[in-house]
Amino acid sequence: WPAGNIIGLVLSILLLLVTCISVLASYSKTSKLINSHILNNSGTHIKETAAITGELISKQVEIFSNLLPLPSVQSLSNLDKVLKQPRLLTNKPVLVMSILLAMVACIAMFSAQLWDIAISECDEEQTCALNQDPDDTFARPVLHGIVGYYVSDRKIIILVSTPIAFLLCTTLLLLMRGTTVLRMILSGLISLGMGVFFFLYSLDAVQYIILLGTKLSNLSFILKLVSIMPIPLLAALFVALAYSNIIQSMEQKKDDKSSKVKTGLLSILIILSIVFFFLSLATMTTSNLVIMSTVQGHWNTTQEHTWDDECQDHNHVRYNDYGYRYDTTTTSAPESKPDKCYGKSLDWLVQDNFTLFSICQLLMTESFLLLSVFVSMNGRRITKKTLF
């Protein structure tokens, strides 16, 4: 055995012996305590211990209820009345405009994806309807995706998710008529579900953009960007809608009097949020396009054909099936190779580096978008507790 294994075995045996000795020692101490005269005083000590334990538990429950307040039984009995209480939406036009913006984005994505499928040009051996893209459209046919694994899966995902999101946005608009606590909770749950989906899918969408190739027509390139770019915006809009509904479903204090200074600061804050909203969108779009053009310089074909037989140089060293080297010498002129032999595929390390940077930039942009939309939606309902 190696010396390390022998030392490990010896230490394990010593540890086992120490554990056995400590168990025996604790057993002897416990037996002495049980047989002591303290526990024979007609159960007085046991009653005192039980009282102290009950008092300690009650204090712990009180501390926990202060940290995390739980609904009382009386509030649960009036749950029906609480859910039917009316609520006044702050900045309702902003909420409606956000939902309408999401509906317009869904229509644009759906239409662009259908148009892109209609104009796809493939070879005779390819079927590019829904399960495949034309050659060299993307750097890779697969990616490190969360919602989809193959790049071509985006077609089905967009064609299915955008109509569902459009219908749910219509439901959100209907729930805003005569808002109650129950309606706002339902709106928050619907918005949160769509926000989580589009947030996860935005991590795939940013990879679609940076893997786009150069062998595309201008129309096809624009349609692909239109069908992919709005996904982070949808994620920010729906998450902000969900959080806004949760905040505004709480009962507002009646003695909330806003001064002129507070109103002025709030107006400045809303204007800054709108500026940051458009600035974040412009930054995200520009950054993705710059990264895409940079990545395009590292590849020119999806599949590398270096090892194809027609791309091999038969006048140089070759290896047979058993790995033995042999030289092939011919006096004929070198054969011309097809264009596919000079293609270069994207290196995995380069892709991972650019993907990591793009995802980090995406998360920061979505945070700014979420904060900007949330500030515009809630206005004077914003407090320190809602932001932190």
Side-chain angles (χ1 to χ4, degrees):
W1 281 5
N5 292 346
I6 297 174
I7 294 173
L9 178 62
V10 173
L11 293 176
S12 300
I13 294 173
L14 291 176
L15 181 61
L16 183 61
L17 291 175
V18 171
T19 304
C20 293
I21 293 172
S22 62
V23 168
L24 294 175
S26 62
Y27 176 76
S28 62
K29 292 179 181 180
T30 304
S31 61
K32 291 180 181 179
L33 181 62
I34 292 174
N35 296 326
S36 63
H37 67 281
I38 298 176
L39 297 178
N40 296 326
N41 293 335
S42 64
T44 56
H45 295 284
I46 296 177
K47 293 180 180 179
E48 292 178 0
T49 304
I52 294 173
T53 304
E55 184 179 357
L56 179 62
I57 292 175
S58 63
K59 289 182 178 180
Q60 291 177 349
V61 171
E62 183 179 358
I63 293 173
F64 180 77
S65 62
N66 290 331
L67 294 175
L68 184 62
L70 299 175
S72 61
V73 178
Q74 185 178 1
S75 63
L76 291 177
S77 61
N78 299 327
L79 183 61
D80 187 24
K81 296 181 180 179
V82 173
L83 292 178
K84 291 182 179 180
Q85 288 180 358
R87 288 289 185 268
L88 181 62
L89 287 176
T90 305
N91 295 340
K92 187 175 181 180
V94 179
L95 295 173
V96 175
M97 288 180 60
S98 300
I99 297 176
L100 292 177
L101 178 61
M103 296 174 72
V104 171
C106 291
I107 294 174
M109 292 171 60
F110 184 82
S111 304
Q113 188 59 69
L114 277 182
W115 195 353
D116 185 37
I117 294 174
I119 65 172
S120 295
E121 297 179 359
C122 299
D123 298 334
E124 296 179 357
E125 299 178 356
Q126 289 182 313
T127 56
C128 296
L130 288 175
N131 59 346
Q132 194 175 0
D133 289 301
D135 287 338
D136 302 331
T137 303
F138 293 91
R140 295 194 186 280
V142 297
L143 71 159
H144 308 296
I146 297 178
V147 179
Y149 178 71
Y150 293 98
V151 177
S152 58
D153 292 342
R154 77 189 187 283
K155 302 178 183 179
I156 299 177
I157 294 173
I158 292 174
L159 292 178
V160 173
S161 62
T162 49
I164 294 175
F166 183 87
L167 294 176
L168 291 177
C169 287
T170 307
T171 305
L172 292 177
L173 290 176
L174 294 176
L175 288 173
M176 285 187 177
R177 300 177 60 183
T179 53
T180 59
V181 176
L182 179 59
R183 286 173 176 263
M184 297 186 73
I185 291 175
L186 291 176
S187 299
L189 292 176
I190 293 173
S191 302
L192 182 61
M194 291 191 291
V196 170
F197 169 77
F198 282 110
F199 169 72
L200 295 177
Y201 194 46
S202 65
L203 303 179
D204 296 350
V206 71
Q207 298 183 58
Y208 297 151
I209 296 173
I210 66 175
L211 294 180
L212 270 175
T214 57
K215 300 178 182 179
L216 296 173
S217 63
N218 293 331
L219 179 59
S220 179
F221 177 76
I222 294 173
L223 290 176
K224 284 180 173 58
L225 290 182
V226 172
S227 63
I228 297 172
M229 279 289 190
I231 295 176
L233 174 62
L234 291 176
L237 287 176
F238 286 126
V239 174
L241 279 170
Y243 193 37
S244 176
N245 279 283
I246 293 173
I247 296 301
Q248 298 197 37
S249 63
M250 301 178 183
E251 188 175 0
Q252 187 178 7
K253 296 180 180 179
K254 295 181 181 180
D255 56 348
D256 186 14
K257 297 180 181 180
S258 58
S259 61
K260 294 183 179 180
V261 177
K262 186 177 179 180
T263 305
L265 292 176
L266 184 60
S267 302
I268 295 174
L269 184 62
I270 293 176
I271 294 173
L272 288 177
S273 66
I274 296 174
V275 172
F276 271 106
F277 178 80
F278 289 103
L279 183 62
S280 300
L281 286 179
T283 303
M284 180 185 65
T285 305
T286 305
S287 176
N288 288 333
L289 293 178
V290 170
I291 295 175
M292 179 190 65
S293 62
T294 305
V295 174
Q296 287 174 351
H298 294 269
W299 70 281
N300 54 15
T301 182
T302 302
Q303 185 177 1
E304 194 169 346
H305 300 275
T306 306
W307 298 102
D308 291 356
D309 187 65
E310 54 189 358
C311 297
Q312 295 291 325
D313 193 352
H314 299 283
N315 296 326
H316 287 78
V317 177
R318 301 190 67 186
Y319 295 87
N320 59 12
D321 295 336
Y322 299 97
Y324 292 105
R325 170 176 170 172
Y326 65 94
D327 297 331
T328 58
T329 56
T330 58
T331 57
S332 59
E335 300 177 356
S336 60
K337 300 177 182 179
D339 294 337
K340 68 176 184 178
C341 298
Y342 301 98
K344 178 185 178 183
S345 61
L346 182 62
D347 185 69
W348 281 103
L349 182 60
V350 175
Q351 177 183 349
D352 293 339
N353 290 334
F354 282 104
T355 300
L356 179 61
F357 177 80
S358 299
I359 290 177
C360 293
Q361 186 266 340
L362 173 70
L363 296 177
M364 183 181 67
T365 303
E366 287 186 340
S367 301
F368 279 111
L369 290 175
L370 173 61
L371 182 60
S372 302
V373 177
F374 177 74
V375 170
S376 302
M377 286 180 179
N378 292 275
R380 53 189 173 85
R381 294 292 298 270
I382 297 175
T383 59
K384 292 182 180 180
K385 187 178 293 185
T386 59
L387 291 178
F388 305 101

